[in-house]
Structure formats: structure tokens, C-alpha cells
Amino acid sequence: MSSGDLTADRRFAYAQLLRRDGDAAAAAEVLAQTIELVPNWPEGRFALAETLAEAGRKYDAIPAYEAYLALDPADFMGAAVKLALLTKATPDTLPEAYLRRLFDEYAPRFEKALIEKLHYRAPQIIRAALDKARAVGTFARAFDLGCGTGLAGAALRDRVAWLGGVDLSAAMIKGAEDKKIYDQLGVGDMVDALDALSAPCELIVAADVLTYVGDLTGVFAAVQRCLAPGGLFAFTVQRHDGDGFALGQEHRFSHGQSYIETLAARRGFAVALMDAAVSRKEKGVDVPGLVVVLRGAKAWRPPGARRYRSPHEAMVPDLSGALAT
Ligand SMILES: C[S@@+](CC[C@H](N)C(=O)[O-])C[C@H]1O[C@@H](n2cnc3c(N)ncnc32)[C@H](O)[C@@H]1O
């Protein structure tokens, strides 16, 4: 990470040392001088904002994050989240560029960290929830939203004839490819991927993914468009005790039970199962969550909804009978 100016780079490195030693106030001073040399260096602006926040100078940190965002509207570093937490305004979602960077960096140690340190269990919880909702038999087509390195795919593969997956992070998708269990994988946003599907799915899963999206309206609408009649949408969320959704300090959203019920009703989904479930720990403490299985209407599409013109459409069976109520 170079600013292109040697003196600025040296000051930046010195500021990082001060930060590491816990002297955020001094580091902020050095970074302010650094920025005078390279005012258009986004990483420098971001580091200054971070350091000001660390030093407790919230009202200086806010404009500093805004100055970074003006230079990098894609928000590679995730300044919008920091701003939201500082101003207590809840954003609708997290910036795509930030999530990509986060999970690209996380990918090599993702499974070890998640399973060993965080006791991650969302895929197993979703599988058990499907059993409990009496979704018996094999699903003809399933799609794994935010599939990551493929842990949910691995947990469900024996229940699925065709399995597709999508993730924002190319490095996470590489992990899923290595497992050789998906029939189709793609890098991109889950709503775009759903809209590009060539045939409806009997099962759509999202294991620990909707925690990165606040407003779930778009995801639910896309799932509705892609679910075969009577198909299932199974996912985990972190539980929010109030209405709507909230953003936590750890940059993950939590969702209220009534918020999910309202969105489900709006899309004609029946709640087949909604149980308390702990998918992971955070700093050694169980994170309260929900596991949800929604069932799509047997033959309901809202006016103006996209119709699939895929030649496979006629071949997709109506599983609504097989997925026992
Ligand atoms: C905690 S990981 C869970 C991965 C996987 N589902 C599992 O159970 O191991 C969350 C994943 O969601 C992906 N993600 C977040 N938002 C996304 C979006 N809008 N579209 C596609 N993938 C997304 C991230 O890149 C990350 O790989």
C-alpha cells in the first residue's frame, strides 16, 4: 500500500507503529500531516478516519470517513459501515467492494477459523431444519446463496440432484470449486445470480449470508421469482429483538422475527419453520439466531413477475406435494 510519495509512506508507516502501540492520538496527528502531502490517497484518508475514531474523536472521524468515500465511492475499505456505526444510522446493506475484499482476504483461513474458533454450524442447522420441516426426498434443483467455500453445499449435496452456487468473493468460490460438489458456480451478487437462473429451484439456501444484507426486500423478491411452486427457502439470520433490522459492531446485521414474517407474507411464502438457533460464537459467546424455512406458494406469482422461458421449465416437477406440510 504505497501513496506514491516516499515521505508520506514513511510517515504512514510511523503512524501505524504508533497505532499498534496504542497511541491513536499521536498516530492521528502524524496521519493528518501525511494527508497534507497526498490529499488524494484513499487508504491514507481511511487510516486517518480509523485512527481518529480509535482516539475517541468521533466528530472528526465522521468527516474523515466522508472524505475517503468521496475519493473511493465503491468503498473498498468499508467506510460506510463505520459511518453508520458512528452516526447510529442503519444502512440497507454493506458495500459490495468491502465484502469482496473482506472475504477474499478471509478465504484461505475461513473454514479453520469458522469451524474451530467460532463453532460455525449454520449448514448443519439448515439441514436439520429441512428434516424438521419434513422436506423429505431429493430436491431436483438447489441454489446456494453466498455459498462461500461450499460448507452448506457439502452438508446438503446428498439431498440435491443439481446444485448451483454464487458468492461475491472469487477466493471463496475457489474453495467451493475445489470441493467439486457444485454443478454450477459463479462470482457475483446473489440477487443478480438468481435473476440469471435458467430454471426455477426447489430449494434455495442462504447459510450465514443474510447477515451481510440489512434490507432483505430485494433478496426475498428474487427468491420468489426463482422458487419452483411449493419450493423451499431455508436460511439462518442473527436475531434482532426489536422491529426491522440492526447493524452490529462486528459489521453484521441482525433481523427481527416479525420483519422476516412480514416480508415472507408479502411474497406469499408460508413459514414452515422458524426456530431459535445458534450458528456461531462471537468472542466466545453464543450469537442468538434464527433458522427459517419458508415454503413458496404452490402456483402464485404477483402481477408483472418475470416468467421463465427456459425450455426446462416444463420439466421441473411441482414438488409441493412431495414437500410434506
Ligand atoms: C460467513 S460466509 C458463509 C459462507 C457459506 N454460506 C457457508 O455456510 O460456509 C458469508 C458469505 O456470503 C457472501 N456474500 C455476502 N453478501 C453477498 C451477496 N450479496 N451476494 C453473494 N454473496 C454474498 C460472502 O462473500 C461470504 O462468502
Side-chain angles (χ1 to χ4, degrees):
M1 196 179 350
S2 169
S3 65
D5 178 310
L6 204 58
T7 311
D9 284 355
R10 282 205 196 103
R11 285 193 186 160
F12 183 82
Y14 178 50
Q16 296 300 75
L17 283 179
L18 288 170
R19 254 176 108 182
R20 237 165 272 151
D21 288 347
D23 195 349
E29 293 310 315
V30 176
L31 282 169
Q33 294 161 14
T34 310
I35 288 304
E36 281 174 20
L37 295 174
V38 282
N40 294 326
W41 185 35
E43 286 84 356
R45 291 262 173 206
F46 184 82
L48 173 60
E50 289 278 272
T51 312
L52 287 167
E54 280 163 27
R57 291 168 58 187
K58 171 179 161 178
Y59 292 103
D60 293 323
I62 290 171
Y65 280 121
E66 287 167 347
Y68 160 78
L69 278 173
L71 290 173
D72 178 19
D75 195 10
F76 193 67
M77 308 294 282
V81 193
K82 307 282 185 160
L83 267 176
L85 291 169
L86 282 176
T87 58
K88 305 232 183 301
T90 307
D92 282 348
T93 191
L94 300 181
E96 227 179 89
Y98 165 68
L99 283 174
R100 274 213 172 95
R101 181 182 65 85
L102 188 73
F103 283 99
D104 279 349
E105 285 175 10
Y106 198 13
R109 59 197 161 84
F110 175 78
E111 292 196 0
K112 201 169 158 55
L114 220 61
I115 295 168
E116 289 178 15
K117 290 202 192 127
L118 304 181
H119 301 271
Y120 178 64
R121 299 186 56 244
Q124 291 72 27
I125 287 172
I126 286 181
R127 187 181 170 111
L130 288 171
D131 289 342
K132 194 170 168 195
R134 292 191 286 137
V136 291
T138 302
F139 297 91
R141 285 174 61 89
F143 203 71
D144 186 1
L145 304 178
C147 62
T149 56
L151 292 173
L156 294 168
R157 182 67 255 201
D158 65 334
R159 300 278 314 273
V160 166
W162 181 93
L163 179 62
V166 66
D167 200 282
L168 275 181
S169 156
M172 295 291 273
I173 282 289
K174 172 78 180 61
E177 272 165 4
D178 290 346
K179 287 199 172 57
K180 301 193 190 315
I181 53 170
Y182 288 86
D183 298 291
Q184 178 191 301
L185 282 169
V187 176
D189 176 69
M190 59 185 141
V191 170
D192 296 339
L194 284 170
D195 282 344
L197 279 178
S198 59
C201 291
E202 284 69 30
L203 175 65
I204 295 176
V205 295
D208 199 32
V209 174
L210 303 184
T211 37
Y212 298 95
V213 185
D215 182 356
L216 298 176
T217 312
V219 177
F220 273 51
V223 167
Q224 183 199 22
R225 291 194 290 272
C226 298
L227 215 49
L232 300 180
F233 178 30
F235 56 89
T236 55
V237 288
Q238 285 186 196
R239 200 186 71 222
H240 171 53
D241 286 331
D243 292 333
F245 54 89
L247 181 64
Q249 290 295 332
E250 73 293 357
H251 299 183
R252 294 161 58 84
F253 288 98
S254 53
H255 296 88
Q257 186 166 332
S258 61
Y259 175 75
I260 289 171
E261 285 165 349
T262 304
L263 276 191
R266 207 179 282 164
R267 294 287 152 195
F269 297 148
V271 179
L273 178 140
M274 185 174 309
D275 279 353
V278 173
S279 298
R280 60 147 75 200
K281 288 182 183 285
E282 193 76 48
K283 295 185 179 137
V285 178
D286 285 352
V287 178
L290 296 170
V291 60
V292 182
V293 180
L294 302 179
R295 181 178 293 112
K298 286 187 180 170
W300 182 79
R301 280 180 198 275
R306 177 171 162 257
R307 290 286 300 148
Y308 292 94
R309 287 190 205 94
S310 157
H312 306 294
E313 188 172 17
M315 293 157 52
V316 176
D318 178 350
L319 283 191
S320 47
L323 305 173
T325 51

